[in-house]
Amino acid sequence: MQTAVSYRPLTGPQEIDLFCRLSYVLDHELTGDFAVGCRRPEWAWVAVDGDRLLARLAWWTTPGCDLPLQFDFFDIDDTLPRADRDEIGLRLFETARAAVFPAGTKPPEYVRFVPPDWHEDPAAHEVVESRTRVLESTGARLLVERLRLQWTPSTPLPESKRRLVFRPVADREDLLALMAPTMDGTLDAHGQADLASGLSPRAAAERHYDGEFAGFTSPHEWWRIAELPDGGGPVGFVVPARNSYHPIIAYIGVLPAHRGNGYIDDILAEGTSILAGEGVDRIRASTDLSNVPMAMSFARAGYVNFERSLNLVWD
């Protein structure tokens, strides 16, 4: 590109308006994210030509954490010629990456929300391809495509067959003792990647618990362990929670010995009922596109696939 493009971080939250001259579905969260420390100006970068925004990117973290944990904004002006888009996008990413992360550091996972029909929609497909093409040139690869799901009170609560009894999770160990064995035969791509990296099922479970569940401010009393009646032992568990943005089904699992009996529907019904009982206006959840049994359970419970996500990683 022949014009003089400047690549720089934002000077502060006062430049959110500049950042939002390109658009993405998370734009409405930016002001709040900067206020609570989920985003920092030095983690939000732009490529500008004068007052024209050509590209932007940003990393996110949990409040109180000093390291970026997720890469979730990466947009390029789609009116630019393809060669210019690729050049500007790559230059912006490499410049920002070098400034934010020490040399040799693996960047955090990139997550991109896309329409559920993006494969069939030529315009949406081109947007996805233009971003992933640039990141793949830096060594990124697609880890998984996921369904993003939502239940609202306009949908009847899923019915339980009442084959199980539920009790609150007692403590961290109570849940970890069940999370670890559910890693056996998991269809979840992140779980499979954890195991492939050499983590034991227990270590993978601890990583998930400490990296996500421990930070929930919603009551841990919502979490449930499913058991067979009359002391028949545990079958699975569900973690209904509220993250920084939505009420969610954070995690759900069935022990390997009890898979294939449809218990997942009963457990999901319990988690959904707990959150619905709190008067929420929606419940969000997600599952891998390839995890067909889980996706079918969400569909039976009335969850609608409103979006998908693409997760890219650097090895």
Side-chain angles (χ1 to χ4, degrees):
M1 190 170 183
Q2 299 302 314
T3 54
V5 180
S6 173
Y7 300 87
R8 64 170 179 84
L10 296 186
T11 59
Q14 69 274 9
E15 286 199 306
I16 289 178
D17 286 346
L18 167 66
F19 197 76
C20 288
R21 289 178 187 171
L22 296 176
S23 64
Y24 182 50
V25 294
L26 297 181
D27 285 348
H28 66 284
E29 296 177 356
L30 287 167
T31 299
D33 284 351
F34 276 107
V36 300
C38 290
R39 299 189 191 277
R40 300 181 182 183
E42 62 268 27
W43 296 350
W45 282 64
V46 293
V48 292
D49 178 11
D51 62 356
R52 181 184 177 186
L53 179 64
L54 302 177
R56 63 176 186 169
L57 61 75
W59 286 274
W60 175 94
T61 195
T62 55
C65 184
D66 291 330
L67 298 173
L69 296 179
Q70 186 169 285
F71 177 33
D72 59 351
F73 271 85
F74 186 47
D75 295 295
I76 308 169
D77 184 342
D78 291 302
T79 67
L80 295 168
R82 171 172 171 160
D84 289 349
R85 276 182 284 154
D86 289 357
E87 177 186 341
I88 292 169
L90 178 60
R91 178 82 176 272
L92 177 63
F93 178 78
E94 294 288 19
T95 303
R97 176 184 181 179
V100 173
F101 300 98
T105 301
K106 182 173 70 173
E109 184 171 309
Y110 172 63
V111 179
R112 178 81 186 187
F113 297 151
V114 298
D117 63 346
W118 75 272
H119 288 282
E120 295 77 34
D121 182 334
H125 192 274
E126 174 57 26
V127 168
V128 171
E129 286 296 308
S130 68
R131 278 62 169 171
T132 56
R133 184 171 61 245
V134 170
L135 296 179
E136 286 172 349
S137 72
T138 73
R141 64 175 176 84
L142 178 68
L143 175 67
V144 66
E145 181 169 342
R146 291 171 62 80
L147 303 175
R148 285 172 50 79
L149 306 151
Q150 179 169 278
W151 180 92
T152 63
S154 62
T155 304
L157 279 169
E159 294 186 7
S160 171
K161 297 178 182 176
R162 303 189 182 282
R163 298 177 295 168
L164 304 172
V165 294
F166 293 89
R167 64 170 178 84
V169 173
D171 52 29
R172 180 177 184 271
E173 180 57 35
D174 194 25
L175 186 57
L176 283 173
L178 299 182
M179 290 177 65
T182 61
M183 297 295 292
D184 181 18
T186 180
L187 298 178
D188 180 82
H190 286 89
Q192 292 173 349
D194 283 340
L195 297 178
S197 73
L199 287 179
S200 68
R202 171 73 187 205
E206 289 176 343
R207 179 178 181 179
H208 198 140
Y209 185 104
D210 295 331
E212 182 178 2
F213 302 166
F216 290 145
T217 57
S218 52
H220 290 190
E221 289 77 15
W222 293 354
W223 305 359
R224 291 289 186 272
I225 289 178
E227 300 180 328
L228 294 171
D230 302 320
V235 168
F237 59 89
V238 62
V239 180
R242 185 187 291 271
N243 64 17
S244 300
Y245 308 99
H246 310 283
I248 60 170
I249 300 295
Y251 204 91
I252 187 169
V254 177
L255 294 172
H258 296 288
R259 290 172 183 161
N261 297 308
Y263 289 135
I264 191 67
D265 289 356
D266 301 73
I267 299 172
L268 178 57
E270 177 73 6
T272 302
S273 296
I274 288 170
L275 290 175
E278 297 296 320
V280 303
D281 61 0
R282 65 188 178 279
I283 301 171
R284 293 279 176 89
S286 60
T287 191
D288 291 2
L289 179 62
S290 60
N291 192 344
V292 175
M294 192 69 249
M296 292 177 64
S297 181
F298 276 118
R300 289 190 293 268
Y303 284 75
V304 175
N305 174 212
F306 73 97
E307 209 167 47
R308 293 189 183 188
S309 68
L310 301 177
N311 299 57
L312 278 72
V313 296
W314 285 259
D315 294 321

